[in-house]
Amino acid sequence: MGDLKRTPLYQEHLRLGGRMVEFGGWDMPVQYESIMEEHRAVRTTAGLFDVSHMGEILVKGKDTIAFADYLVTNSVSTLKNGEICYTPMCNEKGGVVDDLLVYRISNSEVLLVVNASNIDKDFNWVLERAKDRDFSITLDNISSKTAQLAFQGPKAEEILKEISQVKLDEIPFYHFIHGKVNGIDCLVSRTGYTGEDGFELYVDTEAAVPLWRKILEIGTPYGVKPAGLGARDLLRFEACYMLYGNELTDEITPLEAGLKWAVKFEKEFYGRQALIEQREEGLEKRLRGIEIIDKGIARHGYEIFAGDENIGWVSSGMLSPSTGKRLALAYLKKGYWKTGTEVFVKIRNKLVKAQVIKTPFYRGSVKSKA
């Protein structure tokens, strides 16, 4: 197992009473006061997350855009400089190596933001794909030099503008700018993974603590709270955003996960042929939302039945505070994924009635779809 990695804000989490847990090889706060309080703060005001465990890979060179387009399923060439796209990155069978954000900095520079548990795997994957052709690029894993804070909630802009030297109201959703916040050089992007409006701030590691403290200082009178992984998982689940290892794996394709909108078949990308074949043959399983009608909470890995037939499994499941419902994301076999279909989840050896419902489960203050 080895020693767990720590973000530059590790001591801050201890100081604030964070309960630390292992996550993707990192020692991270799962909660401070309570998951419910932190969830409520993000849904009503704003919450501050340490997401410095995420990975950042810088691609530079004259073939940067062509390489990025080959690497991921979504289109990088159609982005303007200062725009971001969410995208899967696929293997040759169409399975998802990771889901990531691509920041188009310029015609010759992009930033890939990858999941914490996949940093080494992804960097090696990107290095391998660079060898597929004679791309004129350089690759730099800058994860250890970069800290990332996520400030999320309907009042995030109103609060952050007190210390921002950039005009936050001029940053549209899924766009970014370089500028100063509290005098600190930042890449400021209007992105997040909670379903609420907000910003993600990328800074040098030594700037993380002063920026974190300042945001909490100005935010506390509004009801801002530091928020841990527990609230983050709950928030992303209600918004029906993917969690790698749950909704996405190297065995699951973007089409099965409902990410067809992020797959641009008109361009060439790694894994395209497998996805074309799957599209032509039709899907055997699909990610859907389900609501538990009877008592019980469906957890990751629980099996789903129709009669005696095993028809799928739960990828994520929780009691949703925003809706008051017991909900789950699940992969269901063809013939069982239509909205309104009755299914049964096996919870502690008992079959519990559930129903396929529409997603997302909750829409917050987020400006529009990624």
Side-chain angles (χ1 to χ4, degrees):
M1 181 77 197
D3 291 337
L4 293 179
K5 290 182 266 191
R6 291 173 175 178
T7 78
L9 292 162
Y10 176 77
Q11 292 297 336
E12 294 299 294
H13 303 319
L14 298 186
R15 197 169 63 80
L16 292 164
R19 185 156 71 79
M20 309 303 283
V21 297
E22 188 276 332
F23 178 79
W26 292 80
D27 204 356
M28 295 295 291
V30 68
Q31 67 181 78
Y32 300 89
E33 284 175 71
S34 87
I35 290 173
M36 288 304 157
E37 284 298 314
E38 293 158 31
H39 172 279
R40 188 179 301 116
V42 177
R43 287 276 182 250
T44 57
T45 309
L48 182 63
F49 300 85
D50 175 16
V51 281
S52 304
H53 59 317
M54 299 290 277
E56 293 85 16
I57 299 167
L58 208 51
V59 187
K60 289 183 179 180
K62 71 179 175 64
D63 293 339
T64 291
I65 304 305
F67 174 66
D69 254 344
Y70 169 68
L71 188 68
V72 301
T73 64
N74 211 336
S75 175
V76 183
S77 60
T78 55
L79 294 177
K80 296 186 179 75
N81 295 337
E83 283 188 337
I84 306 158
C85 71
Y86 169 86
T87 180
M89 174 168 70
C90 289
N91 58 33
E92 62 281 356
K93 292 179 180 171
V96 178
V97 176
D98 203 0
D99 62 326
L100 54 145
L101 293 180
V102 179
Y103 286 67
R104 180 163 171 160
I105 296 167
S106 71
N107 295 346
S108 59
E109 187 173 357
V110 302
L111 178 69
L112 311 176
V113 180
V114 303
N115 282 303
S117 56
N118 291 339
I119 296 171
D120 294 338
K121 178 186 90 165
D122 284 2
F123 189 57
N124 290 330
W125 180 262
V126 174
L127 287 170
E128 285 302 310
R129 297 290 67 78
K131 293 176 193 167
D132 289 349
R133 297 182 194 165
D134 195 17
F135 290 108
S136 179
I137 54 163
T138 60
L139 296 167
D140 190 7
N141 181 358
I142 60 167
S143 305
S144 62
K145 297 181 269 188
T146 310
Q148 187 189 344
L149 311 188
F151 189 47
Q152 303 279 295
K155 294 188 177 167
E157 182 187 298
E158 178 192 335
I159 296 164
L160 195 61
K161 75 180 181 190
E162 290 184 18
I163 57 164
S164 177
Q165 285 80 58
V166 297
K167 290 181 174 156
L168 298 173
D169 58 350
E170 291 180 7
I171 308 175
F173 192 51
Y174 267 63
H175 287 66
F176 69 95
I177 56 172
H178 287 92
K180 289 186 191 290
V181 177
N182 200 42
I184 294 167
D185 287 325
C186 294
L187 185 160
V188 184
S189 73
R190 196 168 211 133
T191 48
Y193 224 57
T194 62
E196 300 298 338
D197 189 21
F199 301 90
E200 292 181 308
L201 308 166
Y202 298 81
V203 297
D204 289 339
T205 49
E206 64 271 16
V209 170
L211 186 58
W212 171 271
R213 286 183 177 176
K214 189 65 179 180
I215 293 172
L216 286 181
E217 180 193 315
I218 62 161
T220 300
Y222 291 89
V224 167
K225 292 183 183 297
L229 292 175
R232 185 175 164 83
D233 194 33
L234 199 42
L235 293 153
R236 74 89 200 162
F237 168 75
E238 291 182 329
C240 294
Y241 294 148
M242 313 281 114
L243 175 62
Y244 195 86
N246 286 39
E247 283 68 47
L248 297 173
T249 69
D250 53 16
E251 302 286 321
I252 293 167
T253 74
L255 305 184
E256 294 167 339
L259 297 175
K260 186 180 174 186
W261 59 271
V263 179
K264 303 298 189 270
F265 283 108
E266 62 273 16
K267 60 155 203 166
E268 195 183 336
F269 58 84
Y270 199 82
R272 177 174 176 262
Q273 195 51 44
L275 294 184
I276 286 173
E277 286 167 18
Q278 187 178 58
R279 183 178 64 173
E280 286 168 358
E281 289 164 12
L283 300 177
E284 292 302 316
K285 65 178 181 289
R286 267 193 77 179
L287 184 68
R288 306 300 284 174
I290 59 173
E291 180 183 351
I292 311 298
I293 307 299
D294 293 338
K295 281 188 179 161
I297 293 175
R299 300 292 186 195
H300 173 70
Y302 284 13
E303 296 173 306
I304 302 171
F305 290 84
D308 294 334
E309 190 184 357
N310 185 326
I311 57 156
W313 77 92
V314 173
S315 58
S316 296
M318 298 175 210
L319 172 63
S320 156
S322 300
T323 64
K325 295 175 178 176
R326 292 179 295 275
L327 303 170
L329 288 167
Y331 278 96
L332 297 173
K333 259 167 82 167
K334 193 163 141 185
Y336 297 98
W337 63 51
K338 199 172 160 208
T339 301
T341 303
E342 185 178 271
V343 296
F344 291 85
V345 183
K346 192 174 182 182
I347 303 176
R348 296 197 186 90
N349 291 322
K350 188 181 165 197
L351 291 177
V352 176
K353 193 196 294 186
Q355 187 179 42
V356 180
I357 61 169
K358 286 183 179 169
T359 56
F361 302 134
Y362 180 82
R363 289 185 191 275
S365 59
V366 77
K367 298 293 185 189
S368 69
K369 191 182 175 192

